[in-house]
Amino acid sequence: MFRFATGERADLYGAILGAFGAANERLETALVLDDVRGRLRTAGWLDAISDEDLHGALKALREWGLLDVVQNHAENYRTAEEYERRNLQYSLTRRGEAALAGVRHALEVLTATGALQTAVLEAITDRLDELYILLKEPTSPDRRIFSTLQELEGHLETLLDNTKAFNGELQRLLRAEGADLNVFREVKAATVAYLQEFLVNLEQRSHGVASAVSRVEERGVAVLHERALRGAELPPVAGDDAGPIWLERRRARWAGLRAWFLPEDGARPRVDRLHDVARRAIVSLLQVLDRITESRRRSSSAAQDFRELARWFADAPGDEDLHRLWTLAFGLGSARHAHLAHPDPELVPSSRTWVEAPPVEVSALLRTSGRTERFTRTGKVRDVASVKAGRAHKARQERAELQRAWGTLRTDGPVRLSDFGELDDAAFARLLDLLGRALSARPDASGTRRASTSDGQVEISLIEVDDGRTARLRTSKGVLTGPDHVVSITAAGAAEAPYGQSRLREATG
């Protein structure tokens, strides 16, 4: 199938197949000899070619099963030459299409870099949630289920391809040697930052995908695939029905999704292995960066220092020079303890030599720092009672400030943002945090967005009202202007006021 990509005429064969591929993209399924010649230039073949060479190349591609030729009996020919040039029509076979696609895919892999994209994980979660909502409604269109399932599988394939490509590039980067140190250091530092950014909330996103898979499976994966098959509207083909083959591919793709995020029998998800690979890569890259930085600090490495010292030892003229060189290089022959005296000088008469005198104890600190040990009184233990009391008082103040902020923001039902008017800095910061969490959440069937604080103590419900009204919240640092949404802020577990028509009408004015 790929014989055309090797040999002396590989460029010509590739240009001819490229010309047929470009024609297929324009829905032109057959080309005559003149059409092939005219499209070779657009396919990258700029040299002149005779009819004999072009016929020979087309014949070779036919023998390899990449091209098919038929006679055009519907055309009217005025001359024999015109009949010879326009009678035969060439088109790509299935093998030719596969060969051309294989070469293009190989070139794409060679130029691809791969990436770790958290947006793909979020897109997978969104598509799973959309499938859950569509399966929940029996009247939802099957075509919509099919298109959503195709998008889900496309995101999953993108995740796998990019992850494999990035992991290959990462391992090659870890093994890279002999590169320019400046470029090498910049690339590795940027890679560490990239990996650290990817690992932020990776576990939370992975759990989100696993939860979405479980919700869809509650509705039935078999039902999902059957409805997607009806929405696919597969064309009729001769021979066996294409439906079972299509369903088998969907089941294989779903099994791959489960293997990555929710494997069976308690196995470890593959996304956790990706987490481990990224962590190990960060450690390895940081170690390499430390070695590069350390090598830049020193004019020469320790190995080079020892080699130079070995040459000095080899060139020393005598033993005394060797001992002197040893003393200067390692400092192990110095007598820093010569000034030390015996603890009781009366026990050592002045007439005795140092050889006969009892030994003097030498502290290990003298060798490392050049100072002798001095024993003084034990330091006093610091009283930390005042520190503990100060910290407790600060914690009580923060708790009281938090309670005042939630008391200011808590509502009895749906209210407009503009109703808050003027807020202190603490309450304003809490309100911004709640609004950000609510706006990032997906709306439910009634259009309400719900979120809660990280500790789960306070909940917010938000409804977007498109009536053109603007809210102005005043603080000591300035004024915030934005859409005047309808919000309800309550304590977790408290009975929230119902969003009835009267309450909503009252909030919306």
Side-chain angles (χ1 to χ4, degrees):
M1 183 183 299
F2 298 101
R3 193 180 305 174
F4 74 95
T6 59
E8 298 179 356
R9 309 187 72 183
D11 293 340
L12 177 58
Y13 296 146
I16 293 175
L17 289 183
F20 279 97
N24 272 353
E25 293 176 358
R26 296 179 175 85
L27 303 181
E28 300 177 13
T29 57
L31 299 177
V32 297
L33 187 66
D34 292 338
D35 295 335
V36 176
R37 182 187 298 277
R39 294 179 182 273
L40 281 179
R41 183 174 297 274
T42 60
W45 182 266
L46 304 179
D47 298 337
I49 182 173
S50 62
D51 290 347
E52 183 179 356
D53 292 340
L54 185 55
H55 274 294
L58 293 173
K59 181 180 179 181
L61 294 174
R62 286 178 54 198
E63 292 176 354
W64 296 332
L66 304 180
L67 290 182
D68 194 11
V69 61
V70 296
Q71 292 182 343
N72 185 11
H73 299 289
E75 187 73 22
N76 295 323
Y77 307 103
R78 293 173 294 181
T79 63
E81 182 181 2
E82 185 178 353
Y83 174 80
E84 182 179 357
R85 300 184 66 87
R86 301 183 59 83
N87 179 40
L88 298 181
Q89 291 185 335
Y90 299 89
S91 61
L92 280 176
T93 61
R94 293 292 297 273
R95 288 172 58 88
E97 293 176 355
L100 184 60
V103 171
R104 288 179 175 177
H105 179 70
L107 295 177
E108 291 177 359
V109 172
L110 288 175
T111 56
T113 57
L116 301 178
Q117 299 169 327
T118 55
V120 178
L121 297 176
E122 296 175 356
I124 291 176
T125 305
D126 293 340
R127 297 291 79 75
L128 288 170
D129 291 339
E130 187 174 354
L131 285 175
Y132 174 76
I133 295 175
L134 291 173
L135 291 175
K136 186 178 180 181
E137 299 294 336
T139 58
S140 58
D142 295 336
R143 294 179 180 177
R144 181 62 176 170
I145 293 180
F146 165 72
S147 62
T148 306
L149 182 61
Q150 290 291 100
E151 293 177 6
L152 171 63
E153 293 180 355
H155 290 313
L156 179 62
E157 185 175 358
T158 300
L159 173 66
L160 301 183
D161 293 342
N162 285 342
T163 300
K164 290 186 293 185
F166 183 82
N167 186 48
E169 291 291 335
L170 181 62
Q171 301 308 318
R172 284 187 285 272
L173 178 63
L174 293 175
R175 298 191 299 267
E177 297 291 345
D180 181 74
L181 289 182
N182 292 327
V183 178
F184 192 65
R185 186 176 184 277
E186 292 177 0
V187 171
K188 292 207 171 189
T191 304
V192 169
Y194 182 81
L195 290 172
Q196 290 175 338
E197 183 179 358
F198 172 74
L199 291 178
V200 174
N201 296 329
L202 174 61
E203 185 176 357
Q204 180 180 357
R205 292 187 176 95
S206 303
H207 285 311
V209 176
S211 301
V213 171
S214 301
R215 289 193 296 270
V216 173
E217 289 185 342
E218 292 176 359
R219 299 294 177 184
V221 179
V223 176
L224 168 65
H225 290 161
E226 290 292 340
R227 294 188 61 179
L229 176 60
R230 292 196 297 268
E233 298 178 354
L234 299 178
V237 295
D240 298 336
D241 184 13
I245 300 177
W246 190 90
L247 288 175
E248 184 63 28
R249 292 176 181 173
R250 303 288 78 74
R251 286 191 286 267
R253 294 289 181 86
W254 191 265
L257 178 63
R258 286 189 59 91
W260 265 86
F261 299 99
L262 192 63
E264 299 178 354
D265 301 330
R268 190 181 184 189
R270 295 180 184 176
V271 70
D272 291 349
R273 301 176 188 175
L274 176 61
H275 190 281
D276 296 341
V277 169
R279 288 291 187 188
R280 289 195 297 269
I282 289 176
V283 174
S284 300
L285 290 173
L286 290 177
Q287 290 175 348
V288 174
L289 290 176
D290 289 340
R291 288 196 294 269
I292 293 176
T293 305
E294 185 64 25
S295 64
R296 288 185 173 184
R297 292 177 181 174
R298 297 174 54 88
S299 59
S300 61
S301 63
Q304 293 176 345
D305 292 344
F306 279 111
R307 292 190 188 98
E308 185 66 22
L309 182 62
R311 284 191 288 269
W312 291 354
F313 272 107
D315 296 338
D319 290 344
E320 294 183 0
D321 300 305
L322 291 175
H323 288 297
R324 189 181 304 110
L325 181 60
W326 171 270
T327 302
L328 294 175
F330 300 103
L332 299 180
S334 61
R336 295 184 178 181
H337 62 283
H339 67 285
L340 298 179
H342 198 278
D344 190 358
E346 296 180 355
L347 298 178
V348 184
S350 58
S351 59
R352 299 178 62 178
T353 64
W354 65 271
V355 178
E356 299 172 349
V360 177
E361 184 177 358
V362 180
S363 171
L365 184 64
L366 186 63
R367 168 63 58 188
T368 58
S369 63
R371 296 176 299 176
T372 57
E373 292 180 346
R374 294 182 180 180
F375 297 96
T376 58
R377 292 183 301 173
T378 304
K380 295 183 179 180
V381 179
R382 185 166 61 98
D383 186 10
V384 297
S386 59
V387 177
K388 293 174 61 177
R391 291 177 179 176
H393 178 67
K394 183 178 179 180
R396 287 193 296 268
Q397 285 183 335
E398 292 178 351
R399 190 179 304 110
E401 180 182 352
L402 181 61
Q403 293 296 332
R404 288 194 301 270
W406 290 137
T408 303
L409 297 177
R410 187 175 292 110
T411 64
D412 296 330
V415 297
R416 287 279 191 168
L417 280 178
S418 56
D419 294 340
F420 287 104
E422 186 171 355
L423 297 171
D424 57 23
D425 294 341
F428 181 69
R430 302 294 177 181
L431 179 59
L432 280 185
D433 179 62
L434 282 176
L435 291 177
R437 294 175 182 271
L439 291 174
S440 62
R442 293 176 61 88
D444 56 16
S446 63
T448 304
R449 301 175 183 267
R450 303 180 187 276
S452 60
T453 56
S454 57
D455 57 2
Q457 297 297 319
V458 179
E459 296 178 349
I460 181 174
S461 301
L462 184 144
I463 301 177
E464 299 181 9
V465 181
D466 188 11
D467 56 0
R469 294 177 56 176
T470 303
R472 294 175 59 86
L473 301 179
R474 294 178 299 276
T475 66
S476 59
K477 298 181 180 180
V479 179
L480 174 68
T481 304
D484 197 8
H485 297 314
V486 176
V487 298
S488 177
I489 302 176
T490 58
E496 183 181 348
Y499 287 93
Q501 293 296 331
S502 59
R503 296 301 302 274
L504 186 58
R505 190 180 302 112
E506 178 183 353
T508 56

